[in-house]
Amino acid sequence: MSPTSRRRFALTAALATVVAVAGWIPQAGAATSTTTHDGTAAHAAAQAAAAPPATGLFEKVKLDGGLSMGEPIELAVLPDQKVLYINRGTTNGGGQVRLYHPGTQTTTVALTLALDARHEDGLIGITVHPQFATNRWVYLFYSPKVTPLVNRISRFTFNPGTNLLDPASEDMVIEWPTERELCCHSAGSMTWDSNNNLYFAVGDNTNSGGDSAGMAPIDERTNRNPQYDAQRTSGNTNDLRGKINRIHPEDNGTYTIPAGNLFPAGTAGTRGEIYVMGLRNPYRIWVDKQAGNTLYWGEVGPDAGATVANRGPAAYDEFNRATAPGNYGWPYCGGPNVAYNDWDFAANAPRGWFPCGGTTGPVNNSPRNTGLQQLPPTKPATVWEQHGGSREWPALDNPGGCGSPAHTEVYHYNANLVSDVKWPQYYDNKWIISEYCRNWLKEVQFNNGNPATGTPTVIEPVLGGMSFVHPIDFQFGPDGSLYLLEYGSGYFSGAPDAGLYKINYIQGGRSPLAKATPSVDNGLAPLTVNFSSAGSTDPDGDPLGYAWDFDNNGTVDSTAANPSYTYTTVGDKRARLTVNDGTGKSGTTVVPIVVGNNRPTVSVGGLPNGGLFSWDENLTATAAATDPQDGTIPCANVVVRAALGHQEHAHEEGQGTGCGATFDTGPVHAGPDSVLFFVIRGGYTDRGATGSVPLTGEREITLWPKQWQAEHYVQLNGPQVINAAGAEGGFRLGDIQNGEWVRHHGVSLKGITGVRARVSSDKAGNVVSFRYDSPTGTEVARVTVPNTGGWDNYTEVTAPVSKPDDGTHDLYVVFTGGSGALLDLDSYTFTGAGVSTPDSGGPGRTGPLRAMGKCAEINAAGTADGTRVQIWDCNSQPQQTWTLPGDGTVRGLGKCLDVAASGLTNGTRVQLWTCNGTGAQQWVAAANGGLRNPQSGRCLDIPASNTTNGTQLQIYDCNGTAAQNWTLP
């Protein structure tokens, strides 16, 4: 097959990914009925013939946006069209419940809640009681800062006079144990049925890495962290995790269990609260009260990029419904009841396929299972995406990329509702689904017009062409408009393009869009700010008028398009721009300006932006902050957080302090069709200033794996993406002509000495050139490609890397040679140490801490602060069991290895202390097996190499002796 006749795929995303087409299951059933939900064939014909309303008949109105939103997670629209929404928050600063006021077009904070926000936990769910108008009850799903670790649902009372949630009104409704040593999957969504039963979704609390290879995480080895085994949660009938649970909250703050859940009340080895089990990360749930309380949810699936013949399918992401309780299979089955193999992780071999879709379910014989072994029969997904391409529902793969199903809801048109923004009758009884990663809303159609009972037939775009930036939640409000929360382009943090919107259906003109940009947004008084309205537009082309209210007090201060204003008093200011189109429609935006305080400046050290790492190695970063008002900032007060980036989202992997934090990259979490990277962020929130408010400074860097698929690019100039079965990710760059190029992201080649390219060609002598900053920039490596014997015959060619510096540069891959198609490039791998270091004990590992033939021990298994940490004969007792959670701490018996009184000098004793995030509890692997405390710069040491039982450990100058040569878990 000639290179010019091969199938081509042109990718246009900023960081595009292409996935291979892999079909492994039979086609979905065809439509056979034309009966609709109201039983009339005529209505069915009318629905089928109707075209969806044009996107131009809808307007997207911004209600709130920007960094002040925090990390937006979920919303709840109130009966008076106010909107409550939550941000996940941080362990240091807490999570916020924020309230948008439509009357004043402002947002206030209704509650700040202290919490533990590690590994995707935090403030992650909100809903209001169906009788909110009279009882004012708001339910929050969050992670309290308590031990032992739990997640909790609490009820709070909203005060309409103050627009606050009273912290003293908290009634804890239900809580359950959880683990936070490893990422991920917390879910958190809540919803209600017509009987005032509360449904709440809980993720499987399981890490998708380890040795699971993106397949079923069922690692039963007892020396592995329990978070690698989803059988302890999703497959456990006696655990609320990996489930959608159903309870009935009572007025007194307690709850009862309604009849009709999966297990009858009192059944041994079960939790009666469970309604649906066998779920991985049911991220959004919703109950249709008008259709027999049908439950719908979007479920984020695993990571496998391709089917493995003896292990399991390429990963499924699912959109589901349930009209009755059931088991949806995870971690034994995926998508349309496709089985995983019962993998023996110790032997690295299969045991046999799980029974999926039969009359009996799988057997859960994990040693961590506390429930029934024989599980209920498994049920299939309703519709699904599959990594590598969904043959059954290809509309879900357009556009392709990562998969993250989000909210789902059935719209019910109300002809009697008086509203000029309600959605049209076309969408009546349509199941609307949303995708976080792929940035779309779509409707699923059914053969009988009834989402609750019908067979899915067609999936069509909703609001095609409208731009979304990671829609994370939506809800149809009391006015029939769609309220939408967008996460924005940040990673485990807020983002400038995060937003809260209304999407209105309109019959007349559309509202203009206001955009305001300040020259500065913080500083000391007097502070002069130049404002710009650039980007403000009117979709109907009407001329705009401008009204600026610089202190948001209701008075128009300027009608210029781009005014300047000097703030003379300190405080948290809000500058409001309102634009009007002369027809009575307007748009508004608010810009925060802080006067009297300066934002901190944060730097990240130890790692260059764009550095290249190896999987299963460590990344160690420091961070520092400066602030004009706070003076010298201790490194322990600067927070360092890490996240594993996957396509366009990220999973938080842990946090430490600026004194030094080490993060284990772990094994590769997904196949070569996926884009993976690490994000490291340093952050510091200052103490504020008199009359002003605190400000947060952050610095973020991105680190990339050494191996990169050529089809994952930032910019493409000429080459085509070719579907090729022999390519590593199912695709390669091909049909490459002389002078064409592709731009990689910005990289630092620190520690890199060579590059290895996987190529094919039917001729010899053409060149792949790696260059800095432009297609004609400094050449850092040159690979000459031989004749490999054909386009589908691959070989690897190596070349040395010679770089001018270790700085960050855009990397261009440039192709030169003769005429016609030169070569195909599948992938390239940089060699050399890079910026990661070999892992000597990664996060989640548990076991002894050994040196000189003895073990570090907590004296007498005591847990009081100040308990001596000593050397003792190894005996495998709990007081000699230490865990490395990945946040830089070393933990035993629920507390942390601590340098007494944050000492900095030789001989300072080491003890056990309550974990507090200070530099005294940070440890990083050093040379020669050392365990170094970055705050002091000294290493964990056996004094004078004295191995007498009971000798208390200390810190001492790092010297590489046996007394400091520790073997970690």
Side-chain angles (χ1 to χ4, degrees), residues 440-465:
W440 51 244
L441 275 67
K442 298 195 176 186
E443 59 161 301
V444 181
Q445 298 177 7
F446 294 83
N447 62 335
N448 63 354
N450 189 342
T453 62
T455 299
T457 55
V458 177
I459 299 175
E460 297 284 358
V462 174
L463 303 173

Side-chain angles (χ1 to χ4, degrees), residues 884-954:
L884 308 176
D887 59 0
T889 63
V890 179
R891 303 187 182 217
L893 299 179
K895 294 203 171 179
C896 279
L897 189 69
D898 179 274
V899 179
S902 293
L904 306 177
T905 59
N906 284 340
T908 302
R909 300 300 179 182
V910 172
Q911 61 189 8
L912 195 71
W913 200 270
T914 300
C915 298
N916 53 30
T918 64
Q921 297 179 357
Q922 288 291 303
W923 304 90
V924 297
N928 300 315
L931 195 60
R932 184 173 63 88
N933 170 243
Q935 180 170 273
S936 64
R938 292 176 166 80
C939 283
L940 184 67
D941 180 269
I942 303 172
S945 299
N946 180 3
T947 58
T948 302
N949 285 345
T951 301
Q952 186 170 3
L953 300 179
Q954 63 177 12

Side-chain angles (χ1 to χ4, degrees), residues 720-742:
Q720 301 296 311
V721 176
I722 306 298
N723 181 353
E728 289 176 342
F731 291 84
R732 66 190 182 213
L733 285 186
D735 196 9
I736 298 171
Q737 312 288 321
N738 179 49
E740 295 180 342
W741 52 265
V742 61

